[in-house]
Amino acid sequence: MLHAPTAALRAGTLAAALALFAPGAAADVPAPGYQLTTQPSPAAYAVTCSLPGGDRVTFDGLSVDRWSADGNYLGNLATLPAFVFASFVTATPDGSAVVIGESSVGDLLLVQADGSSSSPLVQLAYNYSAAWLPSGDLVVSAATSGLGMGNDLYRVQLSPPSSTLLGHVDGASGPVAVSAAGDLYYATQSDLFPPPPGATDVVMWTAAQVSAGSLSLQNAQTVGAGFEGGSSLALDPVGGGLYLAETHFGLSLYRIVRVGPTPAASRVVVDQGVAYISDLEIL
């Protein structure tokens, strides 16, 4: 867990030796003003989120499980009939449930945090990332047209379950984050491998644009440009900072930056240097 001046920023990895919340490696170097602490890794190779009381929920592609903040197993919330590739798990704003996404079939499911039930929501092929709007709807980033065909942004309503296309962007699927005002942030991704240098930009659409739909890179505001990939975004609702997990396999670049207009103006908060960072979360 990374402690920032105004909040705690939690980051998870997807590497065997540095599984979720594993002890910091020698390469983990926080910037001045930030402090690293470690937490137990309850489920390796799992996506994760935190509930309001501090418990954590993990989704490893088969099991949705609940854990205490100190890593003790509290119970199974749901088990899927077959293994799938986990995309994300995110807690509802009130913490009563989580939404999980998987990219094998494209299902989104609502799972109650007390383990009492789970129910299907919608199907969005190759879903990747999700963030909550102030209305309680979910914005989902998903390549629903297929790989290599760009990426779509959808609004997902929980009750009754429905999905509405908000817009389309070029490139592979990227992460999303939403401000308290409802502005939507997105980190673009190249669909080339390896990506060309500086291929990731961080863009923003206002809440009014999100409400109107028809989002594209042409009507987005560029917040920062020229990053080397981006696997996750997180907004600090107190301090207002926007954090990016900058990720580039070819360069072995795995770090967390506070987004500025250029990479040079973006403070490197943690230089991880060892493993893919999958989840950024402001606590």
Side-chain angles (χ1 to χ4, degrees), residues 188-190 194-202 224-230 246 248 251 253 263:
T188 66
Q189 306 294 315
S190 171
T200 290
D201 296 340
V202 178
F227 296 98
E228 303 297 345
E246 193 175 14
H248 193 296
L251 299 176
L253 178 69

Side-chain angles (χ1 to χ4, degrees), residues 129-134 137-142 151-156 164-169 174-188 201-217 219-224 233-235 242:
S129 175
W132 294 96
L133 292 168
D137 293 342
L138 195 62
V139 173
V140 177
S141 169
N151 186 62
D152 295 318
L153 299 168
Y154 276 85
R155 179 195 298 268
V156 174
T164 304
L165 180 65
L166 292 176
H168 179 85
V169 295
V176 289
V178 176
S179 73
D183 301 330
L184 173 61
Y185 292 82
Y186 180 78
T188 66
D201 296 340
V202 178
V203 301
M204 184 270 287
W205 298 276
T206 65
Q209 288 177 293
V210 174
S211 179
S214 299
L215 305 180
S216 69
L217 295 180
N219 59 22
Q221 173 186 330
T222 299
V223 176
L233 281 172
L235 272 162
L242 177 64

